[in-house]
Amino acid sequence: MNKFDMHTHHYRCGHAKGTIEDYIKAALDSGLQVIGISDHSPYFAEKMDHPYPHITMAASGFDEYIQEIEELKKKYKGRIDVLAGVESDYFPKAASTYKHEFAKYELDYLIGSVHFVEDRNIFDKNRWEGMTEEEMLRVKNKYYYLIQQSARSGMFDILGHIDALKGYFPYISELYTPEIEQTLKVIAETETAIEVNTSGKMKYCGGWYPSAGILEMACHYGVPVTFGSDSHVPERVGDEWEEVRQVLKETGFKEWRYYKERKPVIQPL
Ligand SMILES: [Zn+2]
Ligand SMILES: [Zn+2]
């Protein structure tokens, strides 16, 4: 069984530390056989080449990013499988532009993540101020609806951190909505994987994305699962991999997977 991590960032996005090679070395130190490189996609639909230097790389830098991964793939061949990925934002209106850009490259996998709802970042700590519960629920429903759309777009192999709305606002998890169950049904239908993302500890919510209750529902509907540390420092590569494996087994999952050349590689748990 291969130990893998599908979700890592590096210096290009402007808010992570270390080079791609630093993450590969950290993966080797942690006994991984597979390391996915998945930095934040450029904002391909913006007019400017590099509108948000602290969120992601320049559009013109994507080419060089992929080339660097390709070189490192060759350099580490036989020691660790380096996979070329990206964590793409999902903006419904810009989806075709993103699709067109990604089609130019031989990516191993794409993670699709919803980071914006009603034009505001989900991790914006102030976005909930002064909102009624009805308004919060509206945002939550829209968030899950966007995730459903991202699954239906067929663009992605993996959906990133599917309950990350709780990141800086844990209270949101307490507001019930049937949209979560509906979202898992859609994800299962489209055979997209969700990641168990262990970076919740870096925010107020703590723990993992998604929560145990959502994972149980995902198991019930047959949603495939993968692992992602969402590392922004090399030290976090493979973080809590074994704990996640145990919890997935206890939840009832029989297997998990990573992606290579856009195809799932199934691993027993
Ligand atoms: Zn990031
Ligand atoms: Zn993300």
Side-chain angles (χ1 to χ4, degrees):
M1 185 185 43
N2 286 328
K3 189 172 174 183
F4 57 92
D5 185 346
M6 289 287 94
H7 198 151
T8 63
H9 297 280
H10 71 289
Y11 78 86
R12 272 190 182 82
C13 68
H15 63 275
K17 290 197 180 98
T19 62
I20 297 174
E21 193 162 15
D22 291 334
Y23 288 78
I24 296 171
K25 286 179 179 162
L28 280 166
D29 287 345
S30 303
L32 272 70
Q33 285 81 36
V34 181
I35 178 77
I37 310 301
S38 61
D39 211 2
H40 297 282
S41 59
Y43 284 117
F44 286 123
E46 294 277 335
K47 284 190 186 74
M48 282 170 72
D49 183 47
H50 204 186
Y52 305 103
H54 298 293
I55 300 180
T56 185
M57 67 183 96
S60 60
F62 195 66
D63 221 74
E64 184 200 86
Y65 163 67
I66 298 292
Q67 268 179 37
E68 188 177 334
I69 301 173
E70 294 303 327
E71 280 159 26
L72 290 163
K73 254 182 201 257
K74 285 183 202 135
K75 183 172 173 181
Y76 284 89
K77 200 176 177 186
R79 294 175 68 196
I80 187 166
D81 220 353
V82 178
L83 301 176
V86 65
E87 180 186 12
S88 172
D89 281 289
Y90 178 68
F91 300 117
K93 283 184 190 148
S96 61
T97 306
Y98 280 63
K99 215 170 178 172
H100 177 76
E101 289 301 323
F102 295 139
K104 295 176 185 168
Y105 303 93
E106 289 183 9
L107 290 161
D108 285 300
Y109 67 99
L110 278 87
I111 302 175
S113 296
V114 173
H115 291 120
F116 288 87
V117 182
E118 297 181 339
D119 295 326
R120 266 184 102 165
N121 198 298
I122 58 167
F123 299 127
D124 178 346
K125 297 183 184 83
N126 303 319
R127 71 169 298 151
W128 307 101
E129 252 168 49
M131 269 195 182
T132 63
E133 291 208 344
E134 283 73 20
E135 287 164 335
M136 290 172 190
L137 211 46
R138 183 196 69 221
V139 172
K140 186 169 180 172
N141 285 334
K142 282 194 179 169
Y143 174 67
Y144 282 101
Y145 185 67
L146 280 165
I147 293 175
Q148 290 171 33
Q149 274 186 289
S150 73
R152 286 204 166 104
S153 76
M155 289 170 67
F156 308 114
D157 305 293
I158 300 166
L159 303 179
H161 47 63
I162 64 163
D163 69 346
L165 208 50
K166 71 183 179 187
Y168 287 120
F169 192 59
Y171 179 72
I172 199 72
S173 300
E174 301 191 13
L175 301 180
Y176 171 78
T177 168
E179 279 300 315
I180 295 182
E181 191 161 356
Q182 178 56 25
T183 301
L184 292 168
K185 284 185 200 171
V186 170
I187 296 172
E189 266 167 39
T190 59
E191 285 177 60
T192 317
I194 58 168
E195 60 172 2
V196 178
N197 178 314
T198 55
S199 75
K201 66 167 90 167
M202 311 307 284
K203 297 196 163 63
Y204 299 160
C205 63
W208 304 339
Y209 310 109
S211 63
I214 296 177
L215 266 184
E216 276 168 31
M217 241 190 277
C219 186
H220 174 78
Y221 286 110
V223 173
V225 278
T226 186
F227 174 87
S229 65
D230 206 346
S231 294
H232 286 69
V233 289
E235 297 76 44
R236 283 204 61 249
V237 171
D239 196 10
E240 296 188 280
W241 189 86
E242 188 53 39
E243 290 86 338
V244 172
R245 195 170 80 88
Q246 284 304 332
V247 166
L248 287 176
K249 271 166 75 171
E250 284 160 19
T251 307
F253 287 95
K254 300 278 183 274
E255 60 184 39
W256 54 356
R257 56 172 64 187
Y258 59 90
Y259 286 84
K260 187 173 178 172
E261 295 169 356
R262 304 296 311 270
K263 291 187 189 73
V265 183
I266 312 288
Q267 300 286 298
L269 273 160

